[in-house]
């Protein structure tokens, strides 16, 4: 019998049909299973016919593992998959949400909220291209990006993963899909997956749908809205992703009007697959099936039944794969999950694998390793930082601006929790899942960058937490004080108060009482800015979560480049106003949506 599926010149659909016809039920449900690398033994991959492996946030081969080490690990998994009866390769997934951020030494870009402030879709496409190269260099094939949430409330712990409160801005920024996957040819069918080649990665539009619209900004909460508004506000960016050939869509932990998205057959199957014509695969989020019932992980059989029948094609298990597969097999054998549903899911997964080229080129391309963290990539990240900065105040009197700062000042003070902390600059989803403090990877802090640009004769004094004694006998020309949020992710970032952590306001206030002060706010969202603080400081820049390239900040505050960034979200005056966004309930904001001074 002719092996059509092994013929790279055969049409994709013929290859899918041929391979599907050869597969046993165990092989099929194995393909629908994604497991964490920490449990992915060669025997598990071979005996259970596992279709995909992932690294959870922060899960790595070993501490400070570089891209070559990742490629070694992933190639090892791939070799096990290729030894199975049909030799179906795995695809390896990773949370590359602002560069290949799990991996030491890579280029870390600003988080999405900062990119939204640039309004620059072409820049975001280029960031996708660079991210794809650095992900591929490490051997992975699949990036869980972009997040196309429309964040309607800064209390949400994933606010920084959203480009904007404005649907049209988010739609523009879906250009990341083309950056990651490549540009589909003219006439490419909408909804049909596309991948240009070995320098590109599979993208995942997430989290379908309404994750940014939950009540009170509660992560994994309930989005209460009409279907028309769900479609208009939250679903619209997915249409742009489908038009770019996005290969996968990830379901949201959240609910719509009380119905969990992971079990919502109307939205996953009737709308996304049937109405919108999506032909790639729908993947669950991490341990999503375990979260459907209380206590965590209970009613597992029912969770498998309801999610797969709703239209989930690949399940990010990630640990309990043996129990998952045993229960899954039983549900199919009992007829509770039909073979038609299984074949539809596997067909979609195989289609993406053939389009990805992993049958022809299953192993990593080591020629890409020299590109990881290279100067050109870091220069692009630096450009993104420059364009993302939003100037909110410049001078107590507009006729006497503080910015641009003087590089030849005699003595300056640099202070604050975020002035010399690369981990805080990068935020969550960097090296570890939650993110952490300190020199977590290779990069340039704000302090590093300031020291580089100042005149040789300038005395730069750095104090993490200045005290009144800091100013004793010192004549500072000005101070740069960087404060903001510590790293967080998901529910850990939900915050009903939104105050500047680490006594940031008090620290800035102490300095601004004594010296002309530029306050740099490093944050994943608008925070409370008290009127008394705003009055004291001479200038205020929102730097969002800029990533590893601190030079992008000094490029602008010292006047080499102009400020271009504009607020991607309405900056509330007090949390009592929330939710507040442009066009709806937007009276009396501190700074309106789209605000940004020029300098």
């Amino acid at each position: 019998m002719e092996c059509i599926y092994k013929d790279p010149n055969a049409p994709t659909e013929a290859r899918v049909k041929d391979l599907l016809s050869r597969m046993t039920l165990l092989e099929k449900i194995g393909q629908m299973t994604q497991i964490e690398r920490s449990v992915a033994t060669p025997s598990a991959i071979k005996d259970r016919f596992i279709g995909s492996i992932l690294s959870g946030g922060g899960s790595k081969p070993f501490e400070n593992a570089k891209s070559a080490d990742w490629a070694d690990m992933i190639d090892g998994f791939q070799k096990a998959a290729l030894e199975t009866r049909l030799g179906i390769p795995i695809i390896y997934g990773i949370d590359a949400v602002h560069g290949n951020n799990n991996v030491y030494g890579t280029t870390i870009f600003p988080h999405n909220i900062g990119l939204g402030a640039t309004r620059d879709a072409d820049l975001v496409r280029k960031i996708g291209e660079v991210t794809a190269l650095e992900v591929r260099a490490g051997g992975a094939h699949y990036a869980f990006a972009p997040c196309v949430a429309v964040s309607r409330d800064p209390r949400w712990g994933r606010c920084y993963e959203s480009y904007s409160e404005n649907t049209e801005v988010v739609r523009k920024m879906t250009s990341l899909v083309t950056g990651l996957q490549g540009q589909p040819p003219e006439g490419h069918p909408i909804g049909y997956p596309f991948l240009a080649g070995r320098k590109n990665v599979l993208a995942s539009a997430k989290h379908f749908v309404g994750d940014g619209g939950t009540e009170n900004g509660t992560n994994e909460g309930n989005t209460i809205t009409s279907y028309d508004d769900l479609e208009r506000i939250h679903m619209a960016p997915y249409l742009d992703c489908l038009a770019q050939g996005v290969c996968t869509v990830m379901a949201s932990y959240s609910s719509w009007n009380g119905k969990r998205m992971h079990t919502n057959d109307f939205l996953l199957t009737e709308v996304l697959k049937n109405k919108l014509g999506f032909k790639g695969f729908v993947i669950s989020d991490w341990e999503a099936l375990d979260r459907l019932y209380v206590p965590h992980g209970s009613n597992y059989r029912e969770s498998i039944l309801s999610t797969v029948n709703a239209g989930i094609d690949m399940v990010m298990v990630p640990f309990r794969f043996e129990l998952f597969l045993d229960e899954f097999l039983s549900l199919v054998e009992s007829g509770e999950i039909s073979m038609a549903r299984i074949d539809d899911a596997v067909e979609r997964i195989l289609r993406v694998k053939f389009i990805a080229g992993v049958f022809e080129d299953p192993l990593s391309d080591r020629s890409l390793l020299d590109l990881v963290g290279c100067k050109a990539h870091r220069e692009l990240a630096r450009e993104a930082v420059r364009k993302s900065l939003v100037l909110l105040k410049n001078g107590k009197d507009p006729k006497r601006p503080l910015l641009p700062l003087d590089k030849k000042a005699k003595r300056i003070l640099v202070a604050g929790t975020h002035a010399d902390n690369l981990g805080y600059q990068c935020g969550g989803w960097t090296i570890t899942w939650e993110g952490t403090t300190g020199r977590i990877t290779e990069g340039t802090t704000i302090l590093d960058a300031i020291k580089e640009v100042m005149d040789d004769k300038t005395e730069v004094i750095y104090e993490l937490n200045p005290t009144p004694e800091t100013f004793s006998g010192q004549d500072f020309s000005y101070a740069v004080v960087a404060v903001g949020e510590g790293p967080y992710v998901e529910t850990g970032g939900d915050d009903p108060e939104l105050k500047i952590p680490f006594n940031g306001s008090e620290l800035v206030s102490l300095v601004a009482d004594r010296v002309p002060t530029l306050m740099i706010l490093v944050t994943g969202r608008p925070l409370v800015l008290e009127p008394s603080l705003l009055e004291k400081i001479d200038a205020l820049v929102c730097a969002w979560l800029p990533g590893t390239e601190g030079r992008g900040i000094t490029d602008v505050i010292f006047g080499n480049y102009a400020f271009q960034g504009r607020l991607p979200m309405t900056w509330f005056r007090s949390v009592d106003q929330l939710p507040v966004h442009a066009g709806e309930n937007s009276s009396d904001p501190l700074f309106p949506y789209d605000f940004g001074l020029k300098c």
Side-chain angles (χ1 to χ4, degrees):
M1 186 174 169
E2 188 187 359
C3 249
I4 297 170
Y5 83 89
K6 291 184 177 178
D7 179 1
N9 299 312
T12 297
E13 292 306 307
R15 297 179 79 184
V16 170
K17 185 178 177 184
D18 178 61
L19 181 50
L20 192 65
S21 72
R22 299 168 184 271
M23 294 172 72
T24 64
L25 176 56
L26 287 174
E27 287 166 332
K28 288 175 179 178
I29 63 174
Q31 285 301 302
M32 294 173 67
T33 306
Q34 186 179 63
I35 66 173
E36 219 283 327
R37 58 149 214 100
S38 57
V39 295
T41 62
S43 61
I45 296 166
K46 289 189 275 193
D47 297 346
R48 294 291 193 156
F49 311 104
I50 298 300
S52 183
I53 301 172
L54 86 153
S55 278
S59 176
K60 48 179 101 55
F62 51 83
E63 204 61 34
N64 295 343
K66 294 201 168 185
S67 295
D69 305 310
W70 281 79
D72 290 342
M73 175 187 72
I74 295 170
D75 282 352
F77 293 139
Q78 190 68 282
K79 286 169 184 172
L82 296 174
E83 289 174 13
T84 56
R85 183 178 73 93
L86 294 168
I88 304 173
I90 59 155
I91 47 175
Y92 197 99
I94 192 167
D95 283 291
V97 297
H98 62 140
N100 194 16
N101 45 261
N102 250 11
V103 180
Y104 188 90
T106 58
T107 311
I108 307 296
F109 293 93
H111 268 297
N112 287 354
I113 193 167
L115 299 181
T118 72
R119 305 294 199 275
D120 192 336
D122 194 50
L123 172 69
V124 169
R125 177 187 56 76
K126 290 175 185 171
I127 288 170
E129 290 172 357
V130 165
T131 300
L133 287 168
E134 297 204 5
V135 169
R136 267 295 169 109
H141 320 91
Y142 181 13
F144 301 132
C147 176
V148 293
V150 179
S151 177
R152 306 294 269 184
D153 197 319
R155 292 173 292 188
W156 185 36
R158 305 190 81 154
C159 180
Y160 65 81
E161 296 185 56
S162 167
Y163 294 107
S164 178
E165 71 179 36
N166 183 302
T167 302
E168 291 311 306
V169 171
V170 177
R171 292 187 72 167
K172 278 181 67 174
M173 299 304 162
T174 64
S175 58
L176 191 85
V177 172
T178 292
L180 291 170
Q181 296 189 162
Q183 177 72 52
E186 202 161 323
H188 184 81
I190 290 174
Y192 195 86
F194 174 80
L195 196 84
R198 291 194 73 190
K199 293 181 179 178
N200 297 94
V201 293
L202 307 170
S204 187
K206 68 182 190 182
H207 308 88
F208 191 83
V209 61
D211 49 342
T214 60
E215 196 174 18
N216 300 321
T218 302
N219 190 47
E220 303 180 25
N222 188 22
T223 299
I224 302 168
T225 189
S226 67
Y227 176 77
D228 286 349
D229 280 352
L230 185 76
E231 193 173 53
R232 177 178 62 86
I233 298 168
H234 299 286
M235 204 180 294
Y238 289 90
L239 305 182
D240 301 277
C241 294
L242 295 184
Q244 294 169 73
V246 73
C247 287
T248 79
V249 171
M250 186 183 293
S252 178
Y253 288 131
S254 59
S255 302
W256 175 51
N257 295 337
K259 172 82 169 170
R260 294 288 194 120
M261 274 307 311
H262 273 80
T263 63
N264 197 314
D265 55 323
F266 168 68
L267 290 172
L268 294 177
T269 297
E270 289 187 42
V271 175
L272 178 60
K273 293 180 176 179
N274 298 343
K275 180 183 173 185
L276 302 181
F278 178 55
K279 300 296 184 195
F281 68 80
V282 177
I283 188 168
S284 84
D285 208 335
W286 172 274
E287 280 191 338
L289 277 64
D290 298 87
R291 302 185 191 206
L292 292 177
Y293 291 95
V294 178
H296 183 91
S298 59
N299 289 355
Y300 201 46
R301 182 183 175 90
E302 177 58 34
S303 298
I304 299 167
L305 177 66
S306 58
T307 51
V308 173
N309 278 342
I312 298 291
D313 302 308
M314 182 179 282
V315 176
M316 195 184 292
V317 175
F319 300 115
R320 299 198 295 169
F321 67 92
E322 289 173 326
L323 175 63
F324 169 77
L325 285 165
D326 291 345
E327 293 283 15
F328 195 178
L329 178 64
S330 167
L331 285 162
V332 180
E333 288 176 338
S334 69
E336 293 167 85
I337 298 175
S338 70
M339 276 310 301
R341 173 75 273 269
I342 299 299
D343 286 348
D344 170 63
V346 178
E347 184 179 285
R348 291 168 178 276
I349 293 162
L350 296 179
R351 177 180 294 128
V352 167
K353 287 189 174 186
F354 283 121
I355 285 164
V358 287
F359 281 84
E360 286 67 57
D361 295 301
L363 301 178
S364 61
D365 180 355
R366 306 292 171 125
S367 72
L368 300 175
L369 285 168
D370 287 345
L371 295 174
V372 175
C374 69
K375 189 171 190 298
H377 290 186
R378 292 188 184 276
E379 284 299 315
L380 181 69
R382 181 175 177 174
E383 177 189 348
V385 175
R386 283 199 298 267
K387 291 180 173 179
S388 71
L389 302 178
V390 180
L391 180 60
L392 297 174
K393 179 178 180 178
N394 190 16
K396 290 174 180 171
D397 176 350
K399 293 176 185 171
R400 299 183 60 199
L402 180 66
L403 301 179
L405 298 174
D406 180 7
K407 294 179 187 175
K408 297 190 174 182
K410 185 179 176 187
R411 181 183 294 116
I412 69 166
L413 174 67
V414 180
T417 46
H418 291 59
D420 192 32
N421 195 315
L422 201 59
Y424 284 3
Q425 237 172 256
C426 292
W429 297 111
T430 315
I431 306 301
T432 62
W433 175 52
E434 293 175 298
T436 188
T437 184
R439 293 267 170 184
I440 59 170
T441 187
E442 296 165 3
T444 306
T445 67
I446 296 169
L447 177 64
D448 294 334
I450 289 173
K451 285 180 173 177
E452 279 182 16
V453 300
M454 295 307 292
D455 188 84
D456 290 345
K457 294 174 183 165
T458 301
E459 188 179 358
V460 179
I461 293 176
Y462 167 64
E463 286 270 356
L464 178 66
N465 287 298
T467 64
E469 287 69 51
T470 303
F471 303 88
S472 177
Q474 299 278 21
D475 183 18
F476 293 112
S477 301
Y478 58 81
V480 178
V481 185
V483 295
E485 296 190 297
Y488 55 83
V489 285
E490 302 188 32
T491 305
D494 283 1
D495 184 355
E497 297 182 351
L498 296 176
K499 292 177 179 172
I500 301 174
F502 311 115
N503 297 316
S505 295
E506 293 82 353
L507 191 152
V508 174
S509 189
L510 180 141
V511 176
D513 280 338
R514 294 164 172 83
V515 184
T517 297
L518 163 63
M519 173 180 170
I520 298 177
L521 189 59
V522 178
T523 178
R525 53 194 162 190
L527 298 175
V528 173
L529 293 169
E530 298 294 350
S532 59
L533 179 67
L534 278 174
E535 285 168 21
K536 285 183 183 184
I537 59 176
D538 294 80
L540 172 60
V541 171
C542 183
W544 310 110
L545 298 170
T548 51
E549 305 312 303
R551 293 183 184 96
I553 294 173
T554 50
D555 283 343
V556 181
I557 64 175
F558 287 99
N560 292 8
Y561 291 83
F563 280 90
Q564 298 179 43
R566 308 194 323 262
L567 287 181
M569 298 189 75
T570 304
W571 203 296
F572 62 92
R573 198 174 287 277
S574 87
V575 290
D576 299 335
Q577 292 176 300
L578 296 173
V580 52
H581 26 81
E584 299 170 53
N585 186 32
S586 59
S587 61
D588 195 35
L590 185 62
F591 300 106
Y593 167 79
D594 212 36
F595 181 82
L597 297 172
K598 302 298 178 194
C599 168

